[in-house]
């Protein structure tokens, strides 16, 4: 195997496609959106699988007992509006140079499919449970900032405080250097739980800006499951066995 | 030295050989099986030694005072059934890209010897002492899953939860990409102790599937030693000086 | 992107320029000086931006909602004395080889602009709040040591005890190997707080040695803000909720 | 700078030279021996300085205020017996591949000077203060084991338990692969203190085996200083403010 190994599964023509990235991160917000899109659009088609020595050295065991090596996947997702080129997976790189190289390779694939706009999806941690799910934004240029602000995305001074890290951050950084308009949509989330409600807030913005239709049923189901989990935790907190922050981290 | 340094010791013709990997891991299960096979089959012959800058920078001191640099070894093990090409050693790689590159190199060596099937051996931690030693499986394809299930191997949803990591995991991942049917046999083990009983359970499956005969005496002796250790620990637990989990880790 | 990506913004002729490095470090002393110089000299001009896979994989979000990928910047700063080539940024490298390679690349850029002398600015931690801000020095050669000592810089046996690390340290190490006279000016600082007073002490030495004029107003304003912070901390220390060292680290 | 930068200072003809390595490690035993030899043999001459991006990114500040970048040094040390090629310095590599590559480069330099035998010097930690300082050995071949055992070096089963790590270990590992007879001499030491007595024990063996004469005064002086430190610690242990293991680590 080389540093990268890009497996071609299909190469359909896409109509003015938009890259949408939903790799793991805070509250698994981006990943939830990606999974939801794959579930809702049945015509979604695996087009590329990217293996790399920069991923963790591991295989996942699927329900049928077969294994899949750590990878990222691109799916072509035709919608009633613009087509999506969806980037999803279970891993980020294991080292800093690996993040740069992986993201660069992802952008190469986006280029191949004629992508001229990109969205990186993620969460921004607030540290507390949330009632109203705002979506915070960042973008490579002023035009997108204006467009997204019109769509209800919030732009706040010094937020997220630590910048945007990992593949999401570098899609903006390296995207800008290639002249690819890229925006990051970050759903507010406690940071303690897998957060389908935050994912829904992000998806609603994406849908409005990219202009496609999608149902929310699967996300609503997951949100209800999480409500039950949160309720159980709150009851525990009032009881004697209060879980500490550590217990709360990434339940779901 | 280059990134890899493969020392050739012998190059016998092997009869339809099967790669069997037993590097260190949970409960040292795979390593115990590898050591046992080398002990039981006296005709086992060292054929390759692989040095690499991806191994820890260290030498072991042997009983005669001479040193051996960190390496992995391939032995040719003729059995009454198919021959084995046995991969053993004391180390995994020190970094993620190193795991990928080492495993790729190991598979190159397997290729040289005409290997057309591979088994990665390891343990799956249960967190508690075990009465009945099940063997959990994963494989690169459905045919092997079916064959192994017939041989009593268990395939369970979402187990092992974190996937299979290190060289064992990548043997499946990279093996699959080369078209090499590969399976992982993981003996249940507490995860706290070097576990010869788990190793025996794994070896019994391997023997049935690959079709060779081997005695179990050495593993039984080690199992008895471990029984004594466990008994001592249980007595300590009932006494005042209960050891904590840390103390229990990898006694043996 | 390659290992480095040097973006050219301008290439003005500089008059006998001096490289001045102010990347993040102890007390943010060097960074404060760099920021102050950029504020005071309005004609400062961005000439190069250096991106690298050795920087952390992240983008910063600016106040207008647009993003900037981790980078270091060179500004040409014309003064009434010698021109400055100012190196500033928010990051150091993420690994040891990266530090060497980045610093080497920075020196290449300094070469391009005809730099024949360099100053690395930083802080030296004392572990306690400071009344009189001494500036401690180190240099690549005896002549500079003598010159700086005349300018009031202190040279102390075995200080700083752990040597000088990161880009500042390597500017001296790699600078010396290129025949570039380089000195390090380290303002004493508690190590707990962003320290504008320490930055002022360093700047006063730099100004005297390089021979240029600059005002101190912005640093004085920041120093007053910090005084207020320190006072608040001291009041807390006398109260019941004394902050521990961890709380004190890098307030500002 | 490249991955390595070997600075040539002199290239004297050496008479049947022996490589002696004394880089930092347990109890600083090897480093103490190296420093002692440089002090005792006034004709010792710096012949090579090796810089590398695998060393920590730092410079040391010397007593005169000038800086030296992290490096390792080779000195030619003429004795009344065989000449020594002495490898000393303040650093090991920062990563596993770096250890392999550095050691390989060191052996290249030894080759240049016609070295046909090598000694790696270090300490072996016992965890308690020591009365009789044994020297434990390991070697690349049986002949050296026999020779060193005759000289009083002890060879013990499974000791040192974790093998020999870092440059010392790889000198044996990579040395053996080049056909260079190499031995490791490890002085027993508590592991808590810089240990001149352990260094003396190692030096006595080295002197006997390589056949040269050297005084011990400087080591005796340092040993007396350490005796005073130990006494102070023991008094503290009997008082109320017993230092914990952490306090004891590397005093000196």
């Amino acid at each position: 195997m080389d540093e990268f190994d890009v497996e071609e599964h299909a190469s359909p023509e896409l109509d003015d496609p938009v890259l949408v990235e939903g790799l793991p991160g805070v509250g698994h917000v981006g990943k939830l959106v990606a999974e939801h899109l794959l579930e809702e659009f049945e015509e979604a088609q695996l087009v590329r699988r990217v293996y790399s020595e920069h991923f963790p050295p591991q295989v996942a065991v699927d329900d049928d007992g077969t294994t899949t090596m750590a990878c990222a996947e691109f799916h072509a997702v035709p919608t009633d509006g613009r087509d999506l080129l969806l980037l999803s997976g279970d891993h980020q790189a294991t080292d800093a140079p690996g993040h740069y190289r992986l993201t660069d390779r992802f952008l190469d694939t986006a280029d191949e499919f004629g992508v001229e706009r990109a969205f990186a999806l993620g969460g921004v941690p607030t540290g507390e449970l949330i009632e109203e799910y705002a979506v915070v934004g960042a973008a490579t240029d002023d035009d997108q900032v204006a467009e997204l602000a019109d769509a209800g995305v919030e732009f706040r001074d010094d937020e997220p405080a630590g910048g945007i890290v990992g593949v999401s951050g570098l899609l903006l950084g390296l995207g800008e250097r290639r002249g690819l308009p890229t925006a990051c949509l970050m759903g507010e989330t406690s940071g303690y739980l897998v957060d389908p409600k935050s994912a829904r807030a992000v998806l609603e913005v994406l849908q409005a800006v990219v202009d496609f239709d999608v149902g929310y049923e699967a996300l609503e189901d997951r949100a209800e499951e999480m409500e039950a989990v949160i309720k159980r935790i709150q009851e525990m907190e009032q009881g004697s066995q209060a879980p500490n922050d550590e217990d709360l981290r990434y339940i779901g």
Side-chain angles (χ1 to χ4, degrees), chain A:
Chain A
M1 193 168 109
D2 297 320
E3 188 178 6
F4 297 96
D5 190 347
V6 182
E7 204 174 72
E8 295 199 22
H9 288 257
S11 291
E13 284 291 313
L14 298 186
D15 179 21
D16 196 12
V18 172
L19 177 68
V20 174
E21 173 263 329
L23 292 172
V26 180
H28 278 211
V29 173
K31 190 165 150 58
L32 282 172
V33 174
E35 284 170 4
H36 181 72
L37 289 170
L38 290 177
E39 231 167 297
E40 293 287 329
F41 289 100
E42 285 168 13
E43 322 83 70
Q45 182 186 17
L46 176 65
V47 294
R48 294 285 185 282
R49 205 173 249 172
V50 181
Y51 301 96
S52 170
E53 65 179 22
H54 298 294
F55 282 130
Q58 78 184 74
V59 294
V61 182
D62 303 327
D63 284 352
D64 65 356
T66 64
T67 50
T68 308
M69 188 159 64
C71 65
E73 294 182 338
F74 285 92
H75 285 80
V77 182
T79 76
D80 53 310
R82 295 173 72 168
D83 287 344
L84 309 180
L85 182 68
L86 187 67
L87 170 58
S88 63
D90 289 324
H91 305 283
Q92 297 258 348
T94 59
D95 58 335
H99 271 105
Y100 282 90
R101 295 179 190 187
L102 261 177
T103 308
D104 220 31
R105 199 67 174 234
F106 292 155
L107 287 169
D108 286 347
T109 298
D111 266 358
E112 272 181 63
F113 281 95
V115 161
E116 290 183 1
R117 182 164 193 189
F119 289 89
L121 309 184
V124 60
T126 62
E128 44 194 42
L129 298 182
I130 290 170
E131 298 294 318
E132 294 285 313
Y133 284 85
V135 174
V136 177
T140 50
D141 56 276
D142 295 332
D143 290 355
Q144 284 187 98
V145 172
E147 180 192 3
L148 292 171
D150 283 350
V153 174
E154 297 187 14
F155 290 84
R156 301 173 184 168
D157 278 15
D158 283 325
E159 199 167 316
I164 306 169
V165 300
V167 169
S168 288
L170 292 185
L171 276 178
L172 286 105
L174 295 174
E176 183 183 12
R177 293 197 55 66
R178 288 170 178 240
L180 178 71
T182 305
C184 188
L185 301 175
M186 291 162 279
E188 280 192 327
T189 174
S190 67
Y192 301 137
L193 300 151
V194 168
D195 195 339
K197 286 194 170 172
S198 180
R200 177 172 182 156
V202 166
L203 182 53
E204 283 173 353
V205 169
L206 184 70
Q207 187 182 11
V209 176
V210 177
D211 190 23
F212 64 88
D213 278 323
V214 68
Y216 289 100
E217 211 175 319
L219 272 179
E220 273 162 10
D221 290 352
R222 293 193 75 156
E224 270 169 38
E225 286 169 32
M226 286 312 298
E227 289 293 307
V229 170
I230 292 168
K231 208 173 159 199
R232 225 180 313 136
I233 290 168
Q234 284 169 335
E235 285 165 10
M236 282 162 73
E237 273 177 338
Q238 288 155 11
S240 59
Q241 291 253 341
N244 59 22
D245 271 9
E246 203 57 43
D247 297 332
L248 279 166
R249 211 164 292 276
Y250 288 111
I251 294 171

